[in-house]
Amino acid sequence: MAHLLYVCLDGLGDDPLPELDGRTPLEAADTPTLDDLAARGRSGTVVTVGPGIAPESDIAVFAILGYDPTEEHPGRGVVEAIGIDLPFESGDLAYRINFATAAWPEIVDRRVGRDLTSDEAAALADEVNRTLRLPDATFELRATVEHRGVLVIRSAEGALSANVSNTDPAYRKEGPLGVALERFEPRVASCVPLDGSREAARAAELTNLFVERSAEILDASEVNRRRRAAGSMPGNVILTRDGGDTRPALQPIRERFGLGWGCFVEMPVERGIARVLGMETVDVPRLASAEDYGVWAELAADAVHEFEAVYVHLKGPDVPAHDGRGADKRDVISLIDRAFFAEVLPRLDLRETVVAVTADHSTSCARKAHTADPVPLVVGGAGVSPDGCGAFGEREAATGALGALRGVDILPRLLPLLA
């Protein structure tokens, strides 16, 4: 039986950009290794969640791992709480949060200028945990990576419902799905119940109290006083999104597809997904340099021999796209080709390994947001004959023999190649 190396490049897809001579960052990047994989393999495109849906990473990763997020996703807050071992039980309310900058209620920057350190965020979370009290309820706020964090609220009056709206205006709640918006009013949104239940009304009430009262604490904090003095934006408001209220019990991925999985991730949301689906996480460093990508490549090659399937999630392309930095996104993709793929593929016997590379969603540099556009997919290695595509890119992939797929279709298409 062949083994599988399955790589997701976060936010890979994009629009053609004038500054890149009408090419996308992927098309403009120097990617000889991925281009060679495309020339030897077969390509296609993927709408990861559904037509017209600009997905967040969590629901898109669920989909490309073979789980329909419209039916099986517990909410991003739950996934991230599980990913960082934050206690959570059904009836609690878990949110993914951002520390943000606001002149209340106007939002100045949803990510505190992307320079809030993890240590600063942890200090802000500690201050809120020590100082804020909610009526007949408790909460735990945990900072994770830079401006990101998780909030769990528990009510002494009974279970809470996650069927409430986000206070982060950049994302709309649609059932269990978090959908990214290209255009939104930059104001802290009020959390409102999305049904007539007492549980949703109580959840909305507690969420609004938390956001308003924590903003008062954060605005006066010593951390933010120092940041203002240094000319940096304060992290003085917390934006909540994509709540969940039920601890999931999903079919393990080994049972669903008959493969034992190893997982390479660096963000809490992907770690949470791995745990929810029963994948074994491999201990890896945060990706900060070409040397780190090389370490991941070496460990991934070893893991392919240890596991039947290995999932690798590389965050790199998404970050510069959100900031509109097309050339930087191009350069990150080039780095990944050179420092990861050019190192890992020569270590594999491609007669006995299937390699699949795709993305969770497109992130447009022009629009500085996730979009509903399809992402490229390339599959090479064992049992794969070439389809004539000469490079790995959005437009080239659209001509490939794999055609247009949904995210949940990918693994069922790969399984026959592994037999």
Side-chain angles (χ1 to χ4, degrees):
M1 180 178 181
H3 292 231
L4 172 65
L5 175 63
Y6 191 18
V7 183
C8 175
L9 301 180
D10 198 310
L12 178 68
D14 212 315
D15 297 315
L17 300 175
E19 63 266 34
L20 298 179
D21 299 322
R23 298 171 293 172
T24 71
L26 173 59
E27 292 168 341
D30 183 21
T31 55
T33 307
L34 285 169
D35 290 345
D36 182 67
L37 185 67
R40 295 170 180 266
R42 301 170 83 79
S43 297
T45 61
V46 181
V47 172
T48 56
V49 175
I53 296 175
E56 293 190 58
S57 288
D58 55 315
I59 63 174
V61 171
F62 255 73
I64 67 174
L65 289 173
Y67 291 76
D68 186 342
T70 64
E71 299 178 359
E72 301 180 280
H73 193 268
R76 181 160 185 166
V78 173
V79 171
E80 296 216 19
I82 292 171
I84 62 171
D85 295 316
L86 184 58
F88 172 85
E89 300 297 336
S90 295
D92 299 342
L93 177 61
Y95 287 114
R96 157 67 194 271
I97 67 97
N98 272 20
F99 289 95
T101 302
W104 186 276
E106 305 298 325
I107 297 171
V108 178
D109 193 291
R110 292 183 52 260
R111 302 178 183 88
V112 199
R114 283 201 187 275
D115 66 357
L116 184 72
T117 69
S118 297
D119 287 343
E120 287 175 322
L124 292 173
D126 287 345
E127 187 166 358
V128 172
N129 286 324
R130 289 194 314 270
T131 308
L132 178 58
R133 297 292 178 268
L134 296 175
D136 297 315
T138 61
F139 71 89
E140 186 169 356
L141 174 65
R142 182 89 57 87
T144 56
V145 179
E146 297 164 349
H147 58 272
R148 306 167 183 89
V150 183
L151 170 68
V152 173
I153 302 175
R154 308 173 185 93
S155 174
E157 298 179 358
L160 298 172
S161 169
N163 199 24
V164 295
S165 65
N166 298 332
T167 63
D168 187 336
Y171 297 90
R172 182 175 64 247
K173 184 85 177 294
E174 294 185 4
L177 305 184
V179 177
L181 303 176
E182 287 187 31
R183 297 179 180 86
F184 57 90
E185 186 177 4
R187 293 171 60 92
V188 181
S190 178
C191 180
V192 299
L194 300 178
D195 61 37
S197 70
R198 178 179 178 276
E199 292 82 2
R202 176 66 171 154
E205 176 191 19
L206 289 172
T207 301
N208 287 325
L209 283 172
F210 175 87
V211 172
E212 293 164 10
R213 294 180 181 179
S214 64
E216 296 172 1
I217 295 167
L218 292 172
D219 203 53
S221 74
E222 179 63 20
V223 169
N224 284 323
R225 187 196 66 77
R226 291 196 299 267
R227 287 183 59 82
R228 289 187 179 100
S232 298
M233 294 180 182
N236 63 347
V237 71
I238 291 170
L239 303 177
T240 62
R241 73 178 197 251
D242 304 339
D245 58 27
T246 303
R247 194 171 183 93
L250 298 176
Q251 181 186 27
I253 196 168
R254 176 188 283 274
E255 292 181 13
R256 182 161 296 192
F257 296 112
L259 302 171
W261 288 76
C263 186
F264 284 57
V265 297
E266 59 174 338
M267 302 300 287
V269 63
E270 286 90 30
R271 186 173 298 108
I273 292 170
R275 291 176 175 176
V276 167
L277 303 187
M279 305 166 83
E280 182 176 334
T281 56
V282 178
D283 188 24
V284 289
R286 288 231 31 219
L287 290 168
S289 67
E291 289 74 20
D292 295 328
Y293 280 104
V295 171
W296 277 48
E298 183 176 353
L299 292 172
D302 292 341
V304 167
H305 300 296
E306 179 182 352
F307 298 96
E308 293 162 304
V310 173
Y311 175 75
V312 178
H313 193 104
L314 300 177
K315 179 72 173 173
D318 187 60
V319 174
H322 277 290
D323 297 334
R325 296 182 282 118
D328 288 345
K329 182 174 180 179
R330 174 202 62 196
D331 293 346
V332 168
I333 296 168
S334 299
L335 170 64
I336 290 171
D337 186 89
R338 179 178 71 253
F340 179 77
F341 285 107
E343 294 296 325
V344 70
L345 294 188
R347 289 180 162 94
L348 303 176
D349 184 347
L350 294 185
R351 296 169 301 179
E352 299 178 355
T353 309
V354 173
V355 178
V357 183
T358 190
D360 48 357
H361 53 77
S362 291
T363 306
S364 167
C365 289
R367 292 175 270 179
K368 299 182 181 180
H370 295 190
T371 71
D373 296 330
V375 297
L377 166 69
V378 62
V379 180
V384 182
S385 58
D387 64 2
C389 286
F392 184 51
E394 292 91 341
R395 282 172 282 204
E396 190 79 10
T399 70
L402 295 178
L405 305 176
R406 299 182 307 152
V408 293
D409 295 332
I410 297 175
L411 282 178
R413 291 285 292 271
L414 296 179
L415 287 179
L417 300 173
L418 305 177

